[in-house]
């Protein structure tokens, strides 16, 4: 009787326990793979959204540059500098305020009497414009990807 019980344990119970252990281990591995695939999927979606956003911003920047070039080319630059805020807001709906600064750092547009948006802009940027230690900012043209 002891031999039958020992054979039963060795032939049935031990392999069953080994198979159960392998099944649990396989489930953990499958869960890890599923989480990794889900992470990669989310990363691809995020990358696609970021690329779409980047493309949209580049398009808007090009459109803005074209509008500014159009405004300057149709008017005398000194006149365009004074009327830039009004002209820009009329020709480009995304513009909230347009401003022009001379090389010496004087703001030619908007004037303080141009409205509440202009006053708010001038008030919030006053410290920047009045800083004695002026810095020269040079814009770089956007590179186009092929």
């Amino acid at each position: 009787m002891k031999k039958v019980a020992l054979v039963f344990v060795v032939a049935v119970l031990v392999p069953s326990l080994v198979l159960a252990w392998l099944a649990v281990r396989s489930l953990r591995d499958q869960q890890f793979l599923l989480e990794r695939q889900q992470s990669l999927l989310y990363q691809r979606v995020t990358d696609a959204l970021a690329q779409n956003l980047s493309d949209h911003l580049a398009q808007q920047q090009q459109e803005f540059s074209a509008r500014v070039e159009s405004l300057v080319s149709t008017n005398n630059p000194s006149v365009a500098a004074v009327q830039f805020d009004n002209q820009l807001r009329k020709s480009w709906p995304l513009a909230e305020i347009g401003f022009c600064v001379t090389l010496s750092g004087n703001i030619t547009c908007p004037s303080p009497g141009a409205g509440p948006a202009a006053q708010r802009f001038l008030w919030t940027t006053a410290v920047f414009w009045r800083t004695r230690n002026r810095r020269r900012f040079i814009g770089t043209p956007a590179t186009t990807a092929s």
Side-chain angles (χ1 to χ4, degrees):
M1 187 69 141
K2 288 184 180 184
K3 287 184 179 183
V4 173
L6 184 63
V7 169
F8 177 75
V9 169
V10 171
V12 176
L13 213 50
V14 171
S16 296
L17 291 175
V18 170
L19 285 175
W21 176 73
L22 287 174
V24 168
R25 187 174 163 190
S26 176
L27 281 174
R28 277 190 281 138
D29 291 346
Q30 288 295 325
Q31 183 180 5
F32 173 75
L33 288 174
L34 181 64
E35 289 173 357
R36 176 75 177 142
Q37 287 175 343
Q38 191 175 23
S39 173
L40 290 173
L41 177 65
Y42 289 159
Q43 184 65 44
R44 280 192 296 256
V45 168
T46 303
D47 289 345
L49 287 173
Q51 184 62 44
N52 289 343
L53 182 62
S54 177
D55 293 344
H56 179 72
L57 289 175
Q59 178 187 6
Q60 292 300 320
Q61 185 178 14
Q62 289 174 350
E63 185 179 337
F64 174 75
S65 296
R67 297 286 172 107
V68 170
E69 289 293 327
S70 165
L71 291 175
V72 173
S73 67
T74 58
N75 295 326
N76 181 354
S78 60
V79 173
V82 175
Q83 300 173 351
F84 183 72
D85 180 38
N86 290 331
Q87 291 177 350
L88 180 65
R89 285 188 288 139
K90 287 178 187 174
S91 69
W92 198 45
L94 294 177
E96 292 183 21
I97 191 118
F99 67 95
C100 288
V101 181
T102 63
L103 292 176
S104 61
N106 297 323
I107 300 174
T108 61
C109 182
S111 66
Q119 290 174 352
R120 187 173 47 252
F121 170 78
L122 292 171
W123 185 78
T124 57
T125 60
V127 173
F128 176 76
W129 298 118
R130 293 192 180 121
T131 302
R132 294 236 182 246
N133 189 8
R134 296 188 189 257
R135 303 275 189 249
R136 183 172 180 185
F137 293 93
I138 301 173
T140 57
T143 58
T144 57
S146 40

